[in-house]
Amino acid sequence: MTLPKPPKGNRAKTIITILVVLAIFVWAFAGISFNGIKATAWQTVQSIVEGFTHPDWGYVWTGEGEDLISLLVETLAIAILGTIMSSLLSIPFGFWAARSRGQKKIVSSSGKFVSSAIRTFPDIILALMFIKMVGPGSFAGILALGVGAIGMLAKFYSESIEAMDHGPTESVVAAGGNKANVLFFATLPQLVPEFLSYTLYRFEIAVRYATILGLVGAGGIGTPLIFALNARAWDRVGIILLGIIVMVTVIDIISGKLRQRLV
Amino acid sequence: MIPNQTTLPKKTGKVKFFTTLAMLLIIIITSAVITDVDFWQLFMNVGQAGYILDQMSRPDWSYVSIVLGPLVETIRMAILGTAFGALLAFPFSLYVARNMESNKAISSVLRFLMNIIRTIPELLLAAVFVAVFGIGPFAGIIALAIFSFGMVSKLFFESIETIDEGPIEALKSSGANRLEIMRYGVIPQVISYYWNYVLFAFEINIRASAVLGYIGAGGIGIFLQRALSQVRYDRVAVIILIIFVVVLAIDYVSNKVREKLL
């Protein structure tokens, strides 16, 4: 006994799709030059394995402020301040991009365009520009995260504003509430938990971003990482990556728990 | 029924609210001290921002022809990175999903490894691979592939875990082996999710590959780094505009494909 054959109707379509995907693939492959690969790659891999299995434990805590824990704390601080800044900045953008009754469509679509333009702007470029303004260091990283996250948070905020239930607003108005009552008893109780939940989600991403800001000199753990990479100090690289992994995992767990309690 | 009330209901949990607020304030202030926040400096240097924006508002259009080649390389890198990562993610997710009757111990170890991979940002991966393979697009492709693998497999195995078990039981009772169950019972239910996640990863990779070159992993980012170090913001503006156009175009195309799929 055999299983029934799949329906034949879409054969031609499937074959065409496969051919198109293959053509794209071949086109992509043909254009990449692979001659840049170092002949020493294998030795490098061996020394990486050697370094990663014997991380530089002495770097974890030296008490001078230039060790792993101090820099991870600094990275976390950058992420916290950047996220708080962007969540405040995103509120007006969110209301701008949200479609609401009795408003011209051009308003909300212009807001949506602006927030998607900000989303495209790579965070690293923002960091480099803020470095030009305030000098290298953590503050430039905070500003980059604060501005860069507007694109994503404003999108989320505007979506939850659009999805807001108008029932409570009408009830408050029907019971004789004024505008302030509407804000405090209908709008905020609905929006605050959602906004907080999105902000926490963005915070998880910001922690990851904050670890790479140092690659361009905007503070945090990325700076010693790029030095260790350039010096091929794989034991140092190993301990830094380990630190990042642990920090990101712990933050994800805490923030996930908090978000569960919010929603 | 609620009895007649003349006042609005009292809000509860004031103490909790204020302790949370106080904790938040302490965290903010500590963070600000650690990171040397200095808004005064920001306002002092607003002129610098004005200069940068002024330069950027006059893009150097002649630069477009120079960066088109690297732009195409960026798109190629994103395609290859996404494809390799997604290809690996497909069997991986089918194996690690909790309802797939694989070896429990092996699949939880694999899931743990996947979660570790997912914590490392792409740019860090790229920085490591540039050190291993040398400067060039290959390091970038590997970094993108690993990132896409982590992302697609996480999303995909979670959707596999939510499938309807009915078809699987039907196949089992008619004597199908594991491969046949996969082919006729599982994959038809989840394949459209898979393509959706692959497109999603591709969109993210296009954005990410634009900056990979900054640390030497190929693509348009190399020119971005060059323009920035030469303080040519008119050229930076051209590159950012081009990336913006490509991202919008890719998002549009992938939304169209997505509508077709779902």
Side-chain angles (χ1 to χ4, degrees), chain B residues 56-79:
Chain B
M56 287 184 78
S57 65
R58 288 191 289 264
D60 174 13
W61 295 115
S62 62
Y63 203 52
V64 172
S65 55
I66 299 171
V67 294
L68 274 184
L71 177 74
V72 172
E73 187 181 61
T74 301
I75 298 173
R76 285 177 157 137
M77 281 165 55
I79 291 175

Side-chain angles (χ1 to χ4, degrees), chain A residues 159-189:
Chain A
E159 277 166 6
S160 48
I161 293 168
E162 281 171 8
M164 200 168 64
D165 181 8
H166 287 281
T169 312
E170 280 165 20
S171 314
V172 174
V173 173
N178 58 23
K179 283 229 158 122
N181 293 143
V182 169
L183 183 68
F184 282 106
F185 294 105
T187 312
L188 286 185

Side-chain angles (χ1 to χ4, degrees), chain B residues 151-166:
Chain B
M151 184 183 148
V152 174
S153 53
K154 160 99 175 158
L155 291 167
F156 188 42
F157 97 74
E158 281 176 354
S159 24
I160 294 173
E161 287 180 352
T162 63
I163 60 168
D164 177 13
E165 302 282 329

